[in-house]
Amino acid sequence: MGKNKGKSQGGSPSANTGNQQSPKSSEKPKQSEPVAAPAAVPDAPAAANVEQITEQVNNLHLQNGEEANRDDVMAARKAKAAAKAEKAAKAAAKKEADAAAAAAKAGGEASTAAEPKQNNEENKDAERGGPPQSEMSKEEILAARKAKAVQQRAEKAAKAEGKHKQDQTQQLGQKEDLQSKSNLKQASSSPNGNEKGVRFVAHDQKETRDSIHNAFKPLFDRCESGDCEGPDELCLHFMECARQFISQFTWDNEEQLGTMMDDSLSMTLKAITQTDRYPLPYAMGNVVRQLRKEIMQVGRNAMTKRHLLEWLDDSEQQYFSLANSAISQHLQGKIAAATKIITYDWCPVVNHVLIDSKTKGSLKKLTVLDAAKNGPGVRHLTSLADHMGYVEYGDLTAVGSIFERGSLVLLGCSAVLSSGRVCLPKGAFQLSLVARAANVPVLILAPTYKFVDRAQAASRFALLGKTPLDILPPDLITAIVTDIRLLPPSSAPAVLKAKALDDAN
Amino acid sequence: MAQVDAPAAHDINEIRTTFVHNLAKGHTRENSLKIAQATVNYIRRIIALEKYENIEDLLNVLRTHLRYSISLAPTELVVRNIFLIAMKLAREENMRVLVGVDKEVGNPYDSLNTLWKAEENSANASATGKKMRKGLAATIKEILVELDSSRELIVSRAVLQLNDTVLTYGVSSSPTLRFFLESARRTIKMRQILSVSSQLDDHSGPDFTSSISLRDVAAAMTDVTKVLLPVSVVFPDGSALMPAGSLSIAHAAARHAVPVYGLAAFYKIAPYYSADAASAVNAQAGIGLPVKLADSLRHRVILSPVFDVVPAHLLSLYISNSGAVLPSHMYRLIADYYHPEDLTEEL
């Protein structure tokens, strides 16, 4: 038991001492672990645990860079946690009861001295309506206690929040917000877990669409129809929608405008990501995070909606046109020195650089490859129709015969991970392998907003669904061309730090 | 060169034209075995119809036909290989007629001293064309038998094991590879056979394979234990001509340390390197592109190579009908099929 004493939770030392006097048989050390008695000290440890669990839940959901300090989000999470925990507790109780019955059957040889006391404890527990303490493991007891406390809190919060939100929706008259909240209410009012109410946002596409703010519906529809070509177009469209959203959003109290706007945006994002089930596409996640940071400033420090719209315009210009021009400028010398430029699939940044270099006369020969003929790479050909003289086009089978002396491979990307790995369209891995074997440099064109503070790639994204991506390891990359400068892949963390894209921000 | 009379020449010309036309007419390349069989039949007709007085005449006749064929179909190295094999057999037949069936014919790859003595004995003698014709016709026919049996012999070299995940490419265009997999499946229960297709969402592979596209190869390679590739031609340095797209598969396999096996029958072993075949292009490159692109693509080149040259260091083993051969040992097999004097002049 001395061992168990050492393991006991700091929050309930007084309760432990009572239990230690009633050791069960030595073959069940886990069952006889010291257990906190919720009835004895109900509030203090429970409150501490609620803080703990809330923090954990927040950490869990912070993956997309969402700041989860809004009441509604909190309430929703708590309700979810409560429902889950109670379900777990019930299951545990049932299990323990079974175990107790079995133990009682087989436990004739258990020490007779300990028995009366043990029974006493169990009876006490039965009176409280809880499972027999000594039969439950530490984790289960904790879970049950947390569940109870969290449920109480969540109910309170949801009640308050529901009232608050009702007022808001009445003013806004937004059907989609109502929908989300009705889901939310459903979730918090039926925390027992096994009903439909546990799901905050229905995964049905129609319901998801209803939960999205009107301004973002065109984006959702476009992605649903599979019309979205890639991360760049997606980001641009998102910014356009965000502009609409900000313009349309009204709130009486100027001071609360930012918070309310963020709440509404958060609801939309929740619906899009199916309650954080799928992450936002990398670059878009960065844009969203920065936008929300700015939105939160509205109403404070004399920041108004007009400032926000200006910020959005500035960022668009900075992320797209200015970044593309800077990348193009960095590359002109290299393109002029190369006898042949090879690219794969479609990327607007690469296209910009190619058109730029052709108008400047530095591009001599171009080869465009696609995974299969008539793929997205054809857009390079059509856009360069008036600019180009000599162009080769082919599919991935031609990869063995395109490299010649002085070639240079330019590839666009979806994201640069913090480990220096790069997410590219599928097939680019093989192209890079053959390029390395042919001693041809591979340059990745990545504006800084595509750098993400993640080491692992996701296979499925919100909006884009399952995107076929290759993860290119750093050893196959000669350099990454950013709007700052040409960098080795190992400098990805430095870019994240410099552009405040890392998790610390 | 032998004087050929008009009707015979006319006939053989017709045969020659038909043969070359058949080589070039197909939109997609025929499989190598069929080309090899057609070439053997063509040579049989040459031997039967052309007139020649001695071995030199016969070799010149064969050389002329060979030059004609490869000038019109320079990428079909199998044709050249079969012709050179036939020329070696003609030389052996000549020696057999001269010295008798029982006596051993000198090996052209013997030591210089042995060759010097052997040369003194035979004293550049030559059998008459008439005597050679009959024996040679039978010998050439043997090539056909050997060609037919080569597939079974390759299949018998089982390299696949239980629980292998095999990745193959070009199964639909290589009957040997398909036959190999079907036979292997009968005896070994492999975990999975991935058939790579150069098209997206193409499920034209055999039923027992799961289709993946070429762009998915790098990701799928993590699960693969063996890569099986069809070979079009093997060069003496161990490198090989394989269907276009094989190079990137071989690189991906090398990256994941997965062994790559090439299926290469004897008639695919080329006696010397030739860069011509590597530049072969598919005549139907533009097919599959939308018509609206015609304007913007008018002055563009559509890349559609037929072959990739895969260097020897990316290949682990060749499975030939005579056994499994390391790429670095491939040159040893040249002596079995070709005569050194036929290789002095590059054709």
Side-chain angles (χ1 to χ4, degrees):
Chain A
M1 281 322 289
K3 197 172 144 196
N4 290 336
K5 197 176 178 181
K7 277 186 185 175
S8 67
Q9 284 285 307
S12 54
S14 57
N16 291 342
T17 48
N19 279 340
Q20 281 163 24
Q21 289 167 2
S22 59
K24 244 208 147 185
S25 56
S26 59
E27 72 265 18
K28 286 185 180 176
K30 212 177 178 184
Q31 286 182 348
S32 60
E33 274 212 355
V35 174
V41 202
D43 288 336
N49 285 323
V50 170
E51 292 297 324
Q52 231 175 346
I53 197 167
T54 315
E55 203 175 279
Q56 281 170 5
V57 170
N58 283 345
N59 287 340
L60 205 71
H61 289 281
L62 266 171
Q63 284 176 357
N64 278 323
E66 291 174 27
E67 292 165 27
N69 53 357
R70 262 71 56 204
D71 291 345
D72 52 346
V73 182
M74 294 281 281
R77 284 172 186 157
K78 280 173 197 167
K80 192 179 181 181
K84 271 189 180 171
E86 196 173 73
K87 200 178 172 185
K90 273 187 175 177
K94 200 182 170 193
K95 197 177 151 193
E96 288 304 318
D98 291 348
K105 228 176 188 180
E109 68 272 13
S111 79
T112 44
E115 238 175 32
K117 234 173 192 178
Q118 182 66 40
N119 290 339
N120 216 6
E121 290 280 334
E122 280 178 16
N123 290 341
K124 268 186 194 169
D125 262 331
E127 280 167 20
R128 286 198 295 262
Q133 276 185 12
S134 53
E135 295 285 347
M136 289 178 77
S137 71
K138 192 168 70 183
E139 289 83 2
E140 284 158 355
I141 298 279
L142 276 173
R145 205 175 54 186
K146 278 173 199 169
K148 213 170 181 181
V150 169
Q151 188 191 343
Q152 283 170 359
R153 276 204 146 205
E155 274 173 3
K156 215 186 251 177
K159 228 178 182 178
E161 201 248 349
K163 202 181 169 188
H164 170 70
K165 284 285 166 185
Q166 221 167 8
D167 296 342
Q168 188 194 343
T169 39
Q170 275 170 6
Q171 288 187 34
L172 289 172
Q174 286 169 344
K175 194 186 165 192
E176 58 276 3
D177 277 357
L178 257 175
Q179 179 69 39
S180 314
K181 268 173 271 106
S182 70
N183 283 336
L184 193 71
K185 273 184 188 171
Q186 215 177 354
S188 49
S189 62
S190 58
N192 287 339
N194 45 6
E195 283 107 26
K196 196 185 161 195
V198 183
R199 291 154 60 196
F200 299 135
V201 180
H203 294 175
D204 177 58
Q205 291 304 315
K206 195 179 171 298
E207 284 181 45
T208 308
R209 191 181 184 279
D210 289 343
S211 316
I212 292 172
H213 191 280
N214 276 334
F216 292 99
K217 274 179 184 166
L219 176 70
F220 182 76
D221 292 342
R222 187 181 171 190
C223 293
E224 278 297 295
S225 62
D227 194 24
C228 201
E229 299 270 352
D232 305 75
E233 280 93 342
L234 192 73
C235 279
L236 271 173
H237 199 168
F238 175 80
M239 287 175 125
E240 198 186 309
C241 293
R243 208 170 284 124
Q244 286 282 323
F245 167 74
I246 294 163
S247 320
Q248 286 171 14
F249 200 91
T250 49
W251 190 257
D252 295 342
N253 190 343
E254 193 65 27
E255 274 184 12
Q256 289 179 352
L257 180 63
T259 322
M260 287 301 134
M261 211 188 279
D262 189 55
D263 280 350
S264 183
L265 181 60
S266 160
M267 286 290 179
T268 295
L269 292 173
K270 205 166 264 299
I272 287 174
T273 57
Q274 298 189 3
T275 327
D276 299 337
R277 192 171 168 199
Y278 302 117
L280 288 169
Y282 298 118
M284 191 179 142
N286 273 343
V287 174
V288 167
R289 188 153 55 156
Q290 285 177 328
L291 174 67
R292 289 184 69 177
K293 224 157 93 182
E294 293 299 318
I295 283 178
M296 284 305 284
Q297 295 298 316
V298 175
R300 298 170 204 166
N301 310 327
M303 177 108 170
T304 61
K305 259 167 65 169
R306 195 173 54 80
H307 288 120
L308 196 59
L309 288 169
E310 276 172 11
W311 175 85
L312 212 54
D313 290 340
D314 280 353
S315 324
E316 192 177 316
Q317 205 188 358
Q318 199 184 328
Y319 290 164
F320 296 95
S321 45
L322 288 178
N324 289 359
S325 307
I327 288 173
S328 173
Q329 218 170 339
H330 290 315
L331 277 171
Q332 287 315 313
K334 304 218 173 292
I335 291 176
T339 54
K340 185 185 197 181
I341 301 296
I342 297 161
T343 188
Y344 180 75
D345 216 281
W346 165 254
C347 174
V349 186
V350 175
N351 191 252
H352 183 276
V353 171
L354 292 177
I355 292 177
D356 207 17
S357 49
K358 188 59 207 171
T359 45
K360 285 176 184 159
S362 51
L363 184 59
K364 297 175 194 80
K365 211 169 162 187
L366 175 71
T367 301
V368 182
L369 286 193
D370 258 327
K373 279 200 190 101
N374 196 21
V378 171
R379 284 177 72 181
H380 283 299
L381 302 182
T382 43
S383 67
L384 285 164
D386 304 328
H387 302 271
M388 280 303 293
Y390 189 82
V391 186
E392 288 175 334
Y393 177 72
D395 59 9
L396 213 49
T397 56
V399 79
S401 54
I402 52 169
F403 295 104
E404 57 185 54
R405 202 184 159 93
S407 301
L408 179 68
V409 177
L410 298 182
L411 295 173
C413 69
S414 296
V416 181
L417 305 181
S418 58
S419 55
R421 288 168 181 258
V422 175
C423 300
L424 296 156
K426 259 210 167 141
F429 193 112
Q430 281 149 276
L431 174 71
S432 310
L433 275 174
V434 183
R436 196 185 60 163
N439 276 337
V440 169
V442 177
L443 299 181
I444 308 291
L445 276 53
T448 43
Y449 76 94
K450 285 189 177 174
F451 283 71
V452 288
D453 198 3
R454 275 163 169 259
Q456 205 177 1
S459 60
R460 199 185 172 99
F461 295 101
L463 292 173
L464 289 180
K466 216 167 182 179
T467 42
L469 289 176
D470 263 347
I471 310 295
L472 198 61
D475 64 311
L476 294 177
I477 302 165
T478 312
I480 301 175
V481 189
T482 70
D483 36 320
I484 314 171
R485 64 179 71 183
L486 264 79
L487 298 159
S490 54
S491 295
V495 174
L496 289 168
K497 191 87 183 155
K499 286 279 168 183
L501 292 165
D502 52 350
D503 275 346
N505 287 280
Chain B
M1 190 175 165
Q3 292 293 312
V4 283
D5 57 28
H10 176 72
D11 281 344
I12 197 67
N13 279 344
E14 210 168 274
I15 292 162
R16 182 168 67 180
T17 313
T18 317
F19 173 73
V20 175
H21 176 69
N22 283 344
L23 280 182
K25 78 169 180 186
H27 292 310
T28 48
R29 185 177 171 267
E30 276 284 3
N31 68 65
S32 305
L33 182 62
K34 279 195 177 162
I35 294 173
Q37 283 167 336
T39 315
V40 175
N41 285 328
Y42 174 42
I43 294 170
R44 285 172 74 193
R45 301 297 294 275
I46 295 171
I47 289 163
L49 293 171
E50 290 278 22
K51 282 198 170 178
Y52 41 89
E53 294 301 321
N54 51 39
I55 182 69
E56 281 307 312
D57 284 349
L58 175 60
L59 291 176
N60 281 334
V61 166
L62 286 173
R63 232 170 258 146
T64 311
H65 281 280
L66 174 57
R67 281 202 193 99
Y68 184 86
S69 304
I70 59 174
S71 63
L72 289 172
T75 59
E76 290 303 344
L77 298 183
V78 170
V79 175
R80 190 183 65 183
N81 294 350
I82 296 286
F83 261 95
L84 291 175
I85 289 171
M87 283 156 84
K88 186 192 183 226
L89 290 176
R91 285 174 190 274
E92 282 176 5
E93 185 58 32
N94 177 47
M95 289 304 287
R96 207 171 288 126
V97 171
L98 277 179
V99 300
V101 183
D102 302 334
K103 290 187 181 171
E104 202 175 308
V105 179
N107 184 355
Y109 292 90
D110 278 344
S111 72
L112 283 176
N113 194 32
T114 320
L115 287 173
W116 182 265
K117 283 180 181 169
E119 202 67 23
E120 277 178 349
N121 292 340
S122 60
N124 288 332
S126 176
T128 58
K130 218 174 188 179
K131 280 183 181 171
M132 269 197 299
R133 198 183 299 264
K134 200 179 166 188
L136 194 53
T139 324
I140 297 291
K141 209 177 170 185
E142 273 175 26
I143 305 179
L144 272 182
V145 178
E146 208 174 337
L147 283 176
D148 288 338
S149 63
S150 64
R151 212 168 261 179
E152 276 82 7
L153 285 168
I154 286 178
V155 167
S156 67
R157 323 273 166 209
V159 287
L160 303 180
Q161 288 167 355
L162 205 68
N163 288 335
D164 264 343
T165 301
V166 181
L167 186 136
T168 62
Y169 181 55
V171 188
S172 47
S173 58
S174 168
T176 309
L177 183 54
R178 193 186 172 117
F179 191 51
F180 185 88
L181 290 171
E182 278 170 356
S183 310
R185 268 186 81 247
R186 265 180 242 130
T187 48
I188 307 157
K189 183 97 179 139
M190 278 165 290
R191 198 189 297 157
Q192 200 182 11
I193 302 173
L194 300 169
S195 163
V196 180
S197 162
S198 56
Q199 302 296 314
L200 296 180
D201 304 321
D202 175 22
H203 302 289
S204 59
D207 299 338
F208 55 84
T209 61
S210 358
S211 288
I212 58 167
S213 66
L214 193 55
R215 67 174 187 174
D216 296 323
V217 165
M221 200 55 83
T222 47
D223 299 329
V224 173
T225 55
K226 272 168 190 150
V227 176
L228 272 178
L229 295 174
V231 173
S232 298
V233 174
V234 186
F235 296 118
D237 66 341
S239 58
L241 269 190
M242 289 182 175
S246 302
L247 183 66
S248 65
I249 296 177
H251 273 297
R255 172 120 192 145
H256 292 91
V258 178
V260 181
Y261 299 92
L263 302 186
F266 71 96
Y267 57 89
K268 292 182 180 178
I269 301 165
Y272 41 76
Y273 187 82
S274 166
D276 290 341
S279 60
V281 289
N282 191 343
Q284 296 219 319
I287 285 183
L289 289 171
V291 179
K292 65 176 179 180
L293 270 178
D295 275 346
S296 60
L297 291 176
R298 202 162 31 198
H299 304 296
R300 318 296 195 246
V301 177
I302 305 294
L303 297 166
S304 192
V306 178
F307 301 117
D308 268 349
V309 180
V310 181
H313 69 90
L314 294 176
L315 293 157
S316 311
L317 206 63
Y318 285 107
I319 303 159
S320 174
N321 48 335
S322 55
V325 190
L326 281 173
S328 52
H329 283 188
M330 217 59 201
Y331 75 99
R332 299 284 304 222
L333 296 182
I334 292 169
D336 293 349
Y337 299 105
Y338 305 104
H339 194 278
E341 281 178 32
D342 293 329
L343 308 182
T344 48
E345 177 196 5
E346 189 165 324
L347 292 163

